[in-house]
Amino acid sequence: MINIEYYNKLYHDSVAKIQSDNYELDKLIDSNDDRRFGISLILRPDESIKERIQNFLSKLKSVEPNQYYYPNSDIHVTVMSIISCYDGFHLDQISIDDYIEAVMKSLNSSESFDISFKGITASPSCVLVQGFMENNNLNLIRNRLRNVFKSTQLEQSMDVRYALRTAHSTVVRLKENLEQKQKFLDVLKDFRDFNFGTMKVDTLELVYNDWYQRVDKVKTLYEFPLV
């Protein structure tokens, strides 16, 4: 499957970069001047999966406590970044009802689907939990979203950064130089194939969000039940 190949390449390429100190630090996480906001359609892993993720994160925290670790409230999978976060975007610039209507049209008769969270991968700046779709429903939803929004005059920036094809969840962001790099990589290796659990996705959320989906910055605009 494309997801496995993608995740494997990402992992090996990123570990090599981390080992050679070519990783990237996020300098905006602690900034009070970060005003990047956007609109996303997301799903949230269930509590049992999030608890297993926190167990994994606790192992990483024990060797690298100064990185940014996602709390349960912020862990999510992006179904589609409808308006990618940018500096200065505010809700009063758009008609929320028009966006809700467009998403509702995209999700018409969309069925619930299963996602299995198994193993971790990495990027040069993040650690991600791998998500695998049990069927093609999520991709169908994404394609409908693309088609519906392209037929409107609504502001959107889907696929501008990259076309979403996976169901991963970012759970760690590097913000400080790694002090125990090898131990950090050893923990990643230990959880490379760890089974975090499988869940049925029966609700999607349209949210106004900052770059990190922090609970104190996120505003839920609408929840969409799936059939």
Side-chain angles (χ1 to χ4, degrees), residues 36-210:
R36 294 172 297 168
F37 284 87
I39 291 178
S40 305
L41 189 66
I42 66 169
L43 65 90
R44 299 185 187 276
D46 65 29
E47 292 304 315
S48 62
I49 290 169
K50 288 192 285 191
E51 286 309 313
R52 293 185 192 104
I53 291 173
Q54 290 303 328
N55 176 59
F56 161 57
L57 297 185
S58 69
K59 301 289 196 299
L60 288 176
K61 285 178 191 176
S62 69
V63 296
E64 283 289 342
N66 297 323
Q67 307 308 326
Y68 182 84
Y69 297 94
Y70 276 64
N72 275 354
S73 60
D74 302 0
I75 293 174
H76 68 283
V77 173
T78 300
V79 174
M80 184 63 73
S81 181
I82 295 172
I83 298 178
S84 295
C85 291
Y86 65 86
D87 195 334
F89 174 70
H90 299 286
L91 274 180
D92 57 12
Q93 297 170 213
I94 63 166
S95 166
I96 297 171
D97 287 344
D98 288 347
Y99 281 80
I100 292 171
E101 183 181 344
V103 175
M104 199 172 288
K105 183 177 179 181
S106 305
L107 297 179
N108 183 35
S109 300
S110 291
E111 297 179 355
S112 60
F113 54 91
D114 290 347
I115 293 182
S116 294
F117 293 93
K118 186 175 182 183
I120 61 89
T121 188
S123 78
S125 62
C126 304
V127 177
L128 309 92
V129 172
Q130 300 176 157
F132 296 94
M133 294 164 276
E134 301 291 305
N135 55 42
N136 203 39
N137 286 4
L138 180 56
N139 284 330
L140 290 174
I141 288 171
R142 285 170 168 161
N143 286 335
R144 288 192 199 118
L145 285 163
R146 292 177 178 113
N147 291 335
V148 168
F149 272 90
K150 283 176 183 174
S151 71
T152 73
Q153 298 299 312
L154 299 175
E155 177 185 354
Q156 58 91 9
S157 52
M158 296 180 189
D159 301 329
V160 168
R161 290 176 59 223
Y162 54 87
L164 276 168
R165 296 189 181 91
T166 65
H168 66 269
S169 181
T170 301
V171 294
V172 184
R173 291 183 184 271
L174 302 180
K175 65 172 189 170
E176 304 286 349
N177 289 329
L178 292 167
E179 296 182 1
Q180 299 196 71
K181 179 175 60 181
Q182 193 53 54
K183 288 185 178 180
F184 185 82
L185 291 173
D186 288 345
V187 175
L188 296 189
K189 186 177 180 181
D190 289 343
F191 281 83
R192 181 74 181 99
D193 298 308
F194 183 84
N195 187 2
F196 293 94
T198 299
M199 66 171 286
K200 181 174 288 296
V201 179
D202 54 17
T203 304
L204 303 180
E205 291 181 43
L206 183 66
V207 297
Y208 172 67
N209 58 279
D210 72 336

